[in-house]
Amino acid sequence: QVQLVQSGAEVKKPEASVKVSCKASGYTFTGYYINWVRQAPGQGLEWMGWINPDSGGTNYAQKFQGRVTMTTDTSISTAYMELSRLRSDDTAMYYCARDESSSWSRYDSWGQGTLVTVSS
Amino acid sequence: IQLTQSPSSLSASVGDRVTITCRASQGISSYLVWYQQKPGKAPKLLIYAASTLQSGVPSRFSGSGSGTDFTLTISSLQPEDFATYYCQQVNNYPFTFGPGTKVDIK
């Protein structure tokens, strides 16, 4: 079965960087885009962008341009999301999600989430 | 594209028919997705392309609409349906989510 397993919780200081991993199994990793979505405590969902594991192509929300980098290592079916220059308002649960279709986007499988806490 | 949802929360009983509305600030054709999220869990895909039920999702869930106005309907609310529901537009970048509608027990 399709499964996405994310790395563990992180605590970072302001201005530091964090790199979250998302290991896929149960399907052909290069066949589906991986999206990243975050959720601040008690708040709604926020789309950050996607990566095409086949080509390495990315599309980032403008809000995160210059601070976010999404990469993949196809040899181990793992996607990564790195966010730099962290601020306190980056404290959130970060999810990776598989896009079942690039033409009618929908996220059919999600990781369990990685809590990133930014605090001095 | 901004999405608004109404109501922001509602209280309902098991067996009730529940309707949640999602409105887009501009037309998005049928590029609208609905997710359900329970506390401490990742979202779950319910409906895509505004009205297509995801495989494995109970048929009591249905979606409709196109352009700017969309609805999610739960025909007979079950205990496991108490959750927060989000719409998402996937027509224009950045993809955006609505603020959510929390459905709790009356």
Side-chain angles (χ1 to χ4, degrees):
Chain A
Q1 74 285 16
V2 175
Q3 197 171 9
L4 299 175
V5 178
Q6 297 182 224
S7 48
E10 303 262 13
V11 179
K12 296 291 183 181
K13 293 191 183 304
E15 294 302 311
S17 297
V18 68
K19 191 170 186 177
V20 178
S21 68
C22 170
K23 183 170 178 60
S25 61
Y27 72 98
T28 302
F29 180 63
T30 51
Y32 301 83
Y33 289 20
I34 292 289
N35 285 248
W36 290 87
V37 175
R38 76 176 187 178
Q39 186 170 37
Q43 302 301 309
L45 302 168
E46 182 174 30
W47 181 78
M48 299 180 70
W50 57 248
I51 182 165
N52 178 349
D54 189 36
S55 66
T58 55
N59 188 321
Y60 302 145
Q62 188 169 9
K63 173 177 179 175
F64 300 103
Q65 288 273 4
R67 285 208 304 142
V68 70
T69 305
M70 297 178 188
T71 57
T72 59
D73 184 339
T74 56
S75 68
I76 56 172
S77 300
T78 300
Y80 303 91
M81 187 285 299
E82 184 170 23
L83 190 61
S84 63
R85 302 195 301 279
L86 290 168
R87 307 184 292 253
S88 58
D89 62 357
D90 291 317
T91 294
M93 185 72 79
Y94 288 76
Y95 294 101
C96 61
R98 186 183 85 154
D99 191 341
E100 190 176 24
S101 168
S102 58
S103 54
W104 285 93
S105 282
R106 67 261 193 184
Y107 311 146
D108 67 329
S109 294
W110 295 66
Q112 82 277 20
T114 296
L115 181 62
V116 175
T117 303
V118 182
S119 173
S120 55
Chain B
I1 296 176
Q2 311 267 6
L3 296 179
T4 57
Q5 289 183 234
S6 60
S8 57
S9 66
L10 66 91
S11 295
S13 301
V14 173
D16 284 353
R17 181 181 182 88
V18 169
T19 298
I20 298 168
T21 296
C22 177
R23 177 163 289 171
S25 59
Q26 63 188 75
I28 57 171
S29 184
S30 295
Y31 289 90
L32 196 284
V33 186
W34 289 98
Y35 295 94
Q36 175 195 67
Q37 187 179 33
K38 296 181 180 180
K41 299 294 186 181
K44 174 187 174 182
L45 173 63
L46 296 177
I47 288 168
Y48 63 94
S51 60
T52 302
L53 196 66
Q54 175 69 359
S55 176
V57 174
S59 59
R60 63 180 178 273
F61 291 92
S62 64
S64 64
S66 67
T68 60
D69 294 315
F70 302 87
T71 59
L72 172 70
T73 299
I74 309 172
S75 61
S76 178
L77 199 66
Q78 297 302 299
E80 60 268 31
D81 301 336
F82 292 96
T84 300
Y85 294 84
Y86 294 94
C87 55
Q88 182 198 22
Q89 68 83 17
V90 292
N91 186 63
N92 289 90
Y93 292 115
F95 293 165
T96 45
F97 290 89
T101 295
K102 184 176 181 180
V103 177
D104 61 21
I105 302 171
K106 183 183 285 185

